[in-house]
Amino acid sequence: MSQPASTHSVDSQRGDIDFAPPILEADRTPLLKLENISKVFGGVRALREVKFDVMPGEVLCLAGENGCGKSTIIKIISGVYTPEPGAVMQMDGESIEGLDPARARDLGIQVIWQDLALFPEMTVAENIAFEQNLGPRPRVVNYGKMKEAARRILERLGVSIDLNRSVRSLPIAQRQIVAIARALVRDARLVFMDEPTASLSHAETEALLKIVRRLSADGIAVVFVSHRLAEVLNVCTRVTVLRDGQYVGTFPTEGMTQTRLTELMTGRTFDYEVRSTDLSAAPVVFEVQGLSRRREYRDVSFKVRKGEILGLTGRLGAGRTEVALSLFGMTRPAAGSMRIEGKALSPRSNRDAIRAGIAYVSEDRLQLGLVQQQSIGDNTVSTVLNDLLDSTQLISSRKRNALIHDWIQQLAVKIGKPDDAVSTLSGGNQQRIVLAKWLATNPKFLILDSPTVGVDVGARAGIFAIIHKLAAGGMAILLISDEIPEVYFNSDRILHMRDGRIVTEYVPGKTTMEQIERDVHA
């Protein structure tokens, strides 16, 4: 989703917007039915009297911002957590009590978490069918039987993956398929998918949604959790919305819009406006001419002016990230030139790029953007340690703490303590810390590569508010995203990249978003 021009409050408790819950057929028994589900952690109420049901073969969306209780309810259903007394949980109309993970799996309940929980050094076949070899006593592994079971499941999904490849060597889209296949080995009847498309391209997402529809056609119910609202409305028949640990309602997706669903999730009304501003007279901050790198991109040329947000979009493999890595000195182009504020630039490393005034927010926040085990504070100052040295060449606690406090305040990061691990933060707040660590370098040119991956819709608005403020202060920004609404509502100009080349330039407002989507996905 994109940055709203303004917000207006609606009912903060129930989000009373004109939608009526669907009427279920009276003669159909829900596969899963929950009522009065509450959960308290150390005096903090994470869930309050939540209810919802899932029909056999249904694809249901469980929607809500980070921290609304989605993960908690999934862990209750999968037997990880026990709900508070008074909860009602039924499977096929029969009460289920004393649920634990083993019994949940026996009932056919499977969860595919965002991190997939696969064994990277093991093969595809071993990851899919390893549970066949579990038991109270050690026994010899029957690899032939394991491969046959894995092959059958993949055929059922309509995909082909080399069973002997290690999972580590697979792209993320194929790892998702391996995780789904593993769930089906246990005769899954209800599969929860937690942000399954967060790291996938548009094409990969379409392939995954095709598999979800295939599961539904086979009578397997799927509960889909995603921040990408367009795909939610595309694949799901109903959506259950949670907000602040409370049940807002269950609504049919037919007739639902992304804007209305956002309102239900956040309790706010978002008004979207095109940002596009004519900055043709502003000084050029960053310029590339004829940039090429074998098998990655060729003849790439563009300018980014002071205070401008230049959008760069295209399908997976278009070369967007590859160009960004060269701009940041991570790879070297074979031809072409770069200039920053009129001065020639040829960075041999990211250190050269940083010294020149370039900052890069990677699309892979978990692996490249942050050190998850380290503290919020350490991540924030990691790019400017030399600036924190005192006369003894040791890091000054006073300078360090002042810098951390300043950026947490400026970017409104919601934290417990600066010494807490950065992994304790929500996706939106983690992304603010990534921004903080690069803004601390005082860059002239900021590259944002898919800055809202895995970030919920409300947090996205906050991140784009920060980006707009940076542009208003004169920073030149390159915004890379495969989500067309994201670049359309947040860029002054948009470049479309295909097969390693810039093929079209658009100005939001003068070109419709639908036209750009047609061109990109043609």
Side-chain angles (χ1 to χ4, degrees), residues 32-256:
L32 176 73
K33 184 176 182 179
L34 307 178
E35 291 183 349
N36 197 35
I37 305 296
S38 299
K39 186 63 183 177
V40 177
F41 295 102
V44 177
R45 187 171 291 275
L47 294 175
R48 183 189 298 272
E49 299 177 357
V50 170
K51 63 177 181 178
F52 74 94
D53 54 52
V54 187
M55 305 303 292
E58 177 182 25
V59 183
L60 174 79
C61 171
L62 185 59
E65 296 187 273
N66 286 338
C68 73
K70 299 190 301 291
S71 293
T72 302
I73 195 73
I74 292 173
K75 288 179 178 178
I76 287 175
I77 295 167
S78 59
V80 177
Y81 293 156
T82 301
E84 303 303 319
V88 175
M89 301 175 62
Q90 295 179 346
M91 194 86 171
D92 295 319
E94 299 290 331
S95 177
I96 48 176
E97 298 177 356
L99 197 61
D100 59 27
R103 187 174 177 218
R105 288 194 297 271
D106 289 341
L107 289 170
I109 300 171
Q110 291 281 344
V111 181
I112 302 173
W113 297 105
Q114 189 172 353
D115 63 5
L116 302 182
L118 297 172
F119 301 104
E121 303 301 337
M122 294 173 65
T123 67
V124 170
E126 288 169 337
N127 270 275
I128 292 174
F130 78 94
E131 285 195 60
Q132 291 188 346
N133 292 280
L134 299 180
R137 297 179 182 178
R139 52 182 166 172
V140 176
V141 176
N142 187 330
Y143 285 101
K145 185 177 180 181
M146 183 182 291
K147 286 184 179 180
E148 177 60 24
R151 184 190 60 77
R152 284 199 310 269
I153 294 297
L154 291 177
E155 284 183 353
R156 180 179 174 186
L157 294 177
V159 296
S160 176
I161 302 176
D162 184 351
L163 297 176
N164 295 314
R165 282 187 65 177
S166 69
V167 164
R168 182 181 296 279
S169 69
L170 298 178
I172 184 64
Q174 290 189 342
R175 294 185 200 182
Q176 284 280 5
I177 294 170
V178 171
I180 294 170
R182 184 179 62 184
L184 298 185
V185 165
R186 288 294 303 265
D187 296 323
R189 302 177 62 209
L190 173 61
V191 178
F192 287 83
M193 294 187 178
D194 184 23
E195 294 292 343
T197 63
S199 301
L200 303 186
S201 69
H202 179 83
E204 291 169 330
T205 295
E206 286 300 313
L208 179 64
L209 296 186
K210 184 177 180 181
I211 289 175
V212 170
R213 295 186 183 98
R214 184 185 292 261
L215 296 178
S216 175
D218 286 346
I220 298 171
V222 177
V223 177
F224 205 78
V225 178
S226 176
H227 294 314
R228 294 184 175 183
L229 303 187
E231 67 194 25
V232 164
L233 300 178
N234 182 19
V235 75
C236 300
T237 54
R238 294 189 298 155
V239 53
T240 291
V241 180
L242 302 182
R243 190 194 315 143
D244 298 327
Q246 298 186 67
Y247 175 76
V248 174
T250 298
F251 311 95
T253 54
E254 184 178 357
M256 178 76 76

Side-chain angles (χ1 to χ4, degrees), residues 488-502:
Y488 189 82
F489 289 105
N490 295 288
S491 303
D492 300 296
R493 291 182 296 129
I494 301 170
L495 301 179
H496 172 202
M497 195 168 188
R498 181 192 294 274
D499 298 328
R501 304 188 68 170
I502 304 295

Side-chain angles (χ1 to χ4, degrees), residues 356-504:
I358 301 173
Y360 174 52
V361 174
S362 166
E363 64 178 334
D364 190 347
R365 178 180 69 245
L366 297 180
Q367 298 297 323
L368 301 178
L370 298 169
V371 181
Q372 293 289 320
Q373 295 78 19
Q374 290 191 2
S375 70
I376 296 165
D378 286 345
N379 274 278
T380 303
V381 302
S382 61
T383 56
V384 289
L385 294 177
N386 287 338
D387 297 340
L388 304 180
L389 300 180
D390 58 19
S391 58
T392 65
Q393 295 302 295
L394 296 176
I395 292 177
S396 165
S397 296
R398 179 184 59 80
K399 291 182 180 179
R400 176 185 180 276
N401 294 338
L403 185 67
I404 294 167
H405 180 267
D406 183 43
W407 282 113
I408 287 174
Q409 290 294 313
Q410 283 195 52
L411 301 187
V413 188
K414 296 179 181 178
I415 69 168
K417 297 178 295 183
D419 291 334
D420 292 342
V422 75
S423 59
T424 63
L425 299 180
S426 68
N429 283 303
Q430 285 191 24
Q431 195 69 336
R432 289 173 188 241
I433 293 297
V434 177
L435 282 170
K437 87 171 193 178
W438 287 115
L439 295 178
T441 67
N442 193 28
K444 302 168 185 174
F445 177 49
L446 176 62
I447 304 168
L448 300 170
D449 194 350
S450 303
T452 61
V453 167
V455 176
D456 69 49
V457 64
R460 289 184 183 201
I463 288 172
F464 278 115
I466 293 169
I467 294 169
H468 287 199
K469 185 177 179 180
L470 294 173
M475 190 175 293
I477 298 172
L478 179 65
L479 172 61
I480 303 172
S481 177
D482 62 356
E483 295 196 36
I484 308 302
E486 200 159 84
V487 292
Y488 189 82
F489 289 105
N490 295 288
S491 303
D492 300 296
R493 291 182 296 129
I494 301 170
L495 301 179
H496 172 202
M497 195 168 188
R498 181 192 294 274
D499 298 328
R501 304 188 68 170
I502 304 295
V503 294
T504 318

